[in-house]
Amino acid sequence: MESSSYNPYQVAQSQFDKVAALLELDEGVRELLRQPMREYHFTIPVRMDDGAIKVFKGFRVQHNDARGPAKGGIRFHPMETVDTVRALSMWMTWKCSVVDIPLGGAKGGVICDPHHLSLREQELICRGWIRQVAKNVGPLSDVPAPDVMTNGQHMLWMLDEFETIHGGRFPGFITGKPVGMGGSLGRTEATGFGVIYVLREALKVKGIDIAKTTASVQGFGNVAQYAVQKCTELGGKVVAISCWDQSDKAAYTFRKKSGIGLDELRGITDKFGGIDKSRARDLGYEVLPGDAWLEQDVDILIPAALENQINGTNVQKIAKSVTVITEGANGPTTPEADEVIKQRGIFLLPDFLTNAGGVTCSYFEQVQCNTNYYWEKDEVLAKLDTKMTSAFAAVNDLAQRRKLYMRDAAYVIAINRVAEAVRLRGWA
Ligand code: GLU
């Protein structure tokens, strides 16, 4: 969870400022790119199941659309803040740019906790969110998608509300839809698989055989689970995962030195994503404190939960054995921790490159919707692999040539492309 002093927007801006200075960007371009172009803040009144009206706060922030329609997810989270959404919208711009898809960056959110909402109440929040921004989003201007605690069902309710308001069918308005309802095969797996495609390329460059590596993962949501699946398929051994337990309001690490079993853990996970501790023990897992995932003697760490997870207070706990950190989450590492990781020479695969598989597949989903022709899953995943592999190669190549930290190299490529689009349009 975020600490109150941590502000992800300040982190995103300071990362940007550093690279803008390196690139010697013009003042006007800098001013334009270091903040969102548009923001919508609104209320969503909902009649709850008990008959009372509850008013939720919603946001949509469009950071930049110079390279194409703004793109980014909507998260439902009780700790959501507008600064978190601003930071995430900025990271979406860099994410779409670094994998070179013709989209800009946006993010949305609602301050709410789906764990305590019925499906009917969640549907009303989704429809209310769309009603408030229906004129400001659309297939050619801003295309939402799922994020933390939202899924294909939420996207479909939103699509239905948008289509009702605008009168017509606009399947390209939103991505992450269920398969058969305009969704793309492979979208569910895309972010987690993409994380491992990038890791696989990084290990090749380092001359490390993935089959000889061990990994520890933070998170057990969509990104983490598919990352574990792909890593295991390629021969890697994931020995620990950490998972948030909603009923205890605490996280736990589940460790099995012979390698965790994804299916056996999925089989003992409740509907809130919490893993049953006593059944895990019966299956041979050690149940450790939530932050133990970070201290494991492994080769690879994969933070795939939320922002601000590797920070000044815990970065020193990273074991000497760790050679690669693969950021599956958005903004998991604070600048303070990042500096330590850089000094230690750990090969860091930055978030907006590594987890770009989700939005890349969203782009494929849009293409399929717009042509009304849907691809086979193998085709989607092969195209995803190609995109992720070439984005990694470009970033790694620049990092080698200019002796840059991987995060800075990814920023240089992403910001340059957006700055060029802004200049070509004559905006700055
Ligand atoms: N929420 C995902 C992300 O942070 C996907 C966004 C999208 O598909 O537009 O990358």
Side-chain angles (χ1 to χ4, degrees):
M1 283 294 109
E2 290 173 30
S3 73
S4 52
S5 60
Y6 168 79
N7 184 326
Y9 187 41
Q10 280 168 9
V11 173
Q13 286 191 318
S14 77
Q15 289 171 342
F16 171 76
D17 289 340
K18 197 171 117 197
V19 178
L22 194 77
L23 289 172
E24 297 177 7
L25 280 190
D26 300 339
E27 201 46 53
V29 177
R30 252 187 239 207
E31 194 58 26
L32 186 62
L33 298 187
R34 76 185 303 280
Q35 58 187 323
M37 294 177 72
R38 287 176 290 274
E39 292 191 358
Y40 305 97
H41 300 208
F42 44 88
T43 50
I44 308 171
V46 170
R47 185 166 304 279
M48 306 297 280
D49 292 347
D50 65 5
I53 293 284
K54 190 161 174 188
V55 179
F56 294 91
K57 268 240 30 111
F59 310 101
R60 184 67 176 173
V61 176
Q62 294 162 352
H63 171 257
N64 191 279
D65 57 7
R67 284 175 43 86
K71 186 83 191 80
I74 301 168
R75 49 164 69 186
F76 286 179
H77 201 280
M79 306 285 281
E80 195 67 301
T81 66
V82 67
D83 274 351
T84 310
V85 183
R86 286 177 176 134
L88 291 162
S89 74
M90 216 164 155
W91 285 326
M92 283 309 303
T93 304
W94 314 137
K95 198 182 290 196
C96 293
S97 178
V98 82
V99 286
D100 207 7
I101 55 178
L103 296 166
K107 204 80 178 194
V110 178
I111 304 176
C112 70
D113 188 351
H115 297 122
H116 302 300
L117 296 167
S118 69
L119 283 179
R120 181 193 149 275
E121 290 164 343
Q122 293 183 41
E123 177 177 347
L124 292 177
I125 292 178
C126 289
R127 291 185 184 278
W129 192 93
I130 288 292
R131 283 199 297 277
Q132 293 289 34
V133 288
K135 292 192 186 69
N136 313 107
V137 295
L140 300 177
S141 56
D142 180 1
V143 181
D147 200 83
V148 174
M149 287 201 263
T150 55
N151 57 36
Q153 175 64 80
H154 298 106
M155 298 306 110
L156 210 62
W157 286 324
M158 290 185 167
L159 176 68
D160 187 67
E161 192 66 26
F162 183 85
E163 292 181 332
T164 304
I165 293 169
H166 289 283
R169 290 286 173 255
F170 305 95
F173 159 59
I174 205 159
T175 60
K177 300 181 293 297
V179 172
M181 292 300 296
S184 174
L185 290 166
R187 176 65 185 83
T188 316
E189 298 91 336
T191 314
F193 280 15
V195 167
I196 303 302
Y197 295 151
V198 171
L199 173 65
R200 180 198 62 206
E201 294 307 303
L203 293 176
K204 265 190 220 161
V205 162
K206 293 269 159 204
I208 300 169
D209 177 2
I210 191 165
K212 298 203 174 89
T213 62
T214 52
S216 176
V217 178
Q218 185 192 33
F220 199 55
N222 179 265
V223 181
Q225 289 195 25
Y226 286 105
V228 171
Q229 181 180 322
K230 185 49 75 185
C231 185
T232 313
E233 268 171 34
L234 296 181
K237 199 202 287 180
V238 178
V239 295
I241 64 115
S242 95
C243 182
W244 179 253
D245 190 312
Q246 181 58 24
S247 31
D248 291 7
K249 299 247 179 303
Y252 298 95
T253 299
F254 296 83
R255 181 171 71 182
K256 202 187 231 184
K257 288 197 169 153
S258 58
I260 67 158
L262 191 58
D263 288 337
E264 66 184 8
L265 285 178
R266 277 178 177 150
I268 57 167
T269 302
D270 67 26
K271 63 177 179 174
F272 299 136
I275 296 172
D276 185 321
K277 297 186 281 298
S278 77
R279 290 171 71 193
R281 283 192 192 94
D282 292 345
L283 290 167
Y285 289 86
E286 294 167 82
V287 181
L288 308 169
D291 52 7
W293 74 277
L294 185 80
E295 304 165 21
Q296 300 304 308
D297 283 322
V298 289
D299 307 293
I300 301 155
L301 290 179
I302 309 180
L306 286 174
E307 55 275 7
N308 185 31
Q309 299 300 299
I310 307 180
N311 48 48
T313 51
N314 64 12
V315 65
Q316 302 295 352
K317 294 185 182 160
I318 295 176
K320 290 205 169 44
S321 56
V322 172
T323 49
V324 181
I325 297 179
T326 313
E327 295 183 326
N330 291 311
T333 309
T334 65
E336 199 183 349
D338 209 30
E339 202 44 50
V340 176
I341 290 167
K342 189 173 172 176
Q343 295 311 326
R344 278 181 54 176
I346 296 174
F347 196 36
L348 178 114
L349 305 173
D351 51 0
F352 67 90
L353 163 69
T354 307
N355 71 25
V359 74
T360 302
C361 194
S362 277
Y363 165 60
F364 296 154
E365 181 176 333
Q366 271 188 303
V367 173
Q368 293 171 80
C369 288
N370 294 343
T371 54
N372 206 10
Y373 175 71
Y374 291 84
W375 312 335
E376 296 302 325
K377 188 170 182 173
D378 286 354
E379 193 177 345
V380 176
L381 293 176
K383 284 186 163 72
L384 178 69
D385 196 345
T386 304
K387 270 276 178 210
M388 301 305 291
T389 299
S390 57
F392 167 81
V395 172
N396 185 56
D397 186 54
L398 183 73
Q400 301 285 319
R401 272 192 291 117
R402 302 229 343 232
K403 306 232 170 321
L404 292 173
Y405 187 47
M406 283 291 277
R407 192 187 308 282
D408 296 340
Y411 263 119
V412 165
I413 291 178
I415 292 174
N416 254 334
R417 286 188 182 139
V418 181
E420 182 62 7
V422 160
R423 278 190 219 104
L424 286 171
R425 283 181 182 275
W427 289 354

